Amino acid sequence: MNKITVKICMGTTCFVMGASQLQELMDIIPSKYGDKVEIQGVPCLEFCNVNTESNAPYVAVADTIVKNATVDKVLETIERKLGYGQE
Amino acid sequence: MDKNNQAIHLKKEILVKVIKAFYSDNFPESTRLIPFEMRPKGSEVPYRCCIYKEREIIRNRTIAGLGYPMEGADERLLLSGYAEGSLKREKPDEQMLTVLELACKGCVPNRIFVTDLCQGCVARPCLENCKFDAIKIVNGKSQIDSSKCKLCTKCIQVCPYHAIVKLVVPCENVCPVGAISKDEQGHARIDFEKCIACGKCVSACPFGAIHEKSQIIDILNKIKQGKKVVAMIAPSIAGQLPGNIYQIKTALLMCGFYDVLEVAQGADITAKNEAKEFAQRIENNEPFMTTSCCAGYNNLVDKHMSEIAKYRSDTKTPAYYTAELCKQKYPDCISVFVSPCVAKKSEAQKNDNIDYVMNYEEMGALFIANKIEVSELEPTPFDVESSREGRNFGIVGGVAESVKAADCNKTDVKPYVINGINKDTIRELRTYAKKGECDKGNLIEVMCCEGGCVGGNACINTIRTATKSINDFTKDSKPICE
Ligand code: FES
């Protein structure tokens, strides 16, 4: 299976609106999923310009955009992609 | 409480909207429309019973964003009226905090409650142990008569099934000085005679019902009027955003500030003066000295703990010295302290050299409204580079360390840190004051917030990552003792 890439937006808007609290994913994800998931902190993903700050922070899990991202929402999205709980 | 929650998100969102409204062609009208823009017709209603109540709550929060109290807000006055008023105001409101009554209602007063887990056992230790005769048996199960219950929690301790719980009001519970309680209508009331402005209630309330009255419009208005508005950035700012303090300086200049000073510059003066004072006191055989840089702690001493006042350092705070330097450099400037917490607003009120306070959340909102990407900006240097120790003032233990370092190994300094003011540490400090000795050390650093200033109520980053980035940044700064 292909590796899933998770990008946490570390742009100013996302960071101020809550991405600061998502940094713990940097520890959680590698320990939980090993090398099945890669996690990166990235500069502004440009969603804040289209969708305004109201839905920030944004996280990209492969091709899915998680709005108003929280640690739980991001983990859920990853598990859906990994196909957990679908068998 | 975890800071990634909707209440905090909403508060920041409103600040961004207020600032954007200020920048728009028609500030009053744009402000009036904020609740409608945030909850347009037909939008889903995330928290309350209906869209009208949601809008009303947003309206109230906007009032706080404009710097006004929400208690007793005039329902007939449109937000546009408040916006116009905020432009004419010359002094910020005296009390820094305000309670959103509509949001506060949802939470029940402190009480002890028997849950369904009660097994109706034969032993009934709860009944046996209650000194106030507050437990009765209804349908074989225990029940508490709240008119008799004194909240002693004895029954909770003795129940073999852990069936009894205490429901606490988070703001009341977290307030270290008993300054907040629910009135008959179920609204939290802050007793400002007792309040030390620590901001713990602001962070603790799950409904986000307690707001700081923002001074952001006052500040932006001064900038717009062409005044020289100078920002003084507290040391803890170094850990708040992706990007360093030189880039934050650039960002603030882009927002119209005339100059930016590091408060760490004042912290260097505090550390040196405090080291001298400490050596003097030890020479005079005083048992210990506490630091005096934390505004929350200073309020605590002034309002509730006069017995420890003589042990508190007489040295002024970093904000004090920085503001003095600022006004010397620019006598006609408007000075703005950029702050991690609400307590500094109370300090500013007592200091004529500090005109306004902008907290980190407000600064973040300002950058968002201006579409500034801090980490991509060119750095701007400071005229005076501060020391590593001065720059470490915002992390726990940093102040005591800096005083020790500024002493350059002349005195036997044994630092001890009070990491956060709460009911227990208040008791601890009182004991030291009463006994006139502290067995843990002779230099007591007192931080009102756990983690130090990086734990302040208006901080953006987590304590852990903020502390790490400050350490990474300051390790290359020059030492205070050359
Ligand atoms: S800051 Fe995250 S999308 Fe722009």
Side-chain angles (χ1 to χ4, degrees), chain A residues 9 11-14 44-48 58, chain B residues 373:
Chain A
C9 178
T12 301
T13 299
C14 286
C44 175
L45 291 166
E46 298 295 337
F47 298 121
C48 59
Y58 298 96
Chain B
E373 265 317 308

Side-chain angles (χ1 to χ4, degrees), chain B residues 117-178:
Chain B
L117 295 175
C118 173
Q119 307 289 311
C121 67
V122 179
R124 297 209 205 287
C126 53
L127 188 71
E128 208 59 36
N129 281 285
C130 180
K131 288 199 206 87
F132 309 102
D133 193 26
I135 299 207
K136 53 180 193 268
I137 308 298
V138 179
N139 296 330
K141 295 200 174 188
S142 300
Q143 229 178 51
I144 292 176
D145 178 348
S146 55
S147 65
K148 289 183 181 164
C149 175
K150 297 266 187 282
L151 303 173
C152 77
T153 71
K154 189 75 197 165
C155 56
I156 296 181
Q157 295 157 33
V158 296
C159 175
Y161 297 103
H162 305 292
I164 310 179
V165 293
K166 183 174 180 188
L167 285 171
V168 293
V169 179
C171 60
E172 244 180 87
N173 193 44
V174 80
C175 178
V177 293

Side-chain angles (χ1 to χ4, degrees), chain B residues 10 17 20 72 94 98 130 167 180 183 202 216 224 265 309 315 366 374 380 392 394-396 398 400 432 476 482:
Chain B
L10 193 57
K17 303 275 190 249
K20 282 187 176 169
E94 200 179 311
T98 171
C130 180
L167 285 171
I180 192 163
D183 66 11
V202 179
I216 189 74
K224 195 173 171 191
Q265 200 186 335
T315 301
L366 181 64
V374 180
T380 311
N392 276 340
I395 50 183
V396 72
Y432 300 148
D476 300 324
E482 279 133 312

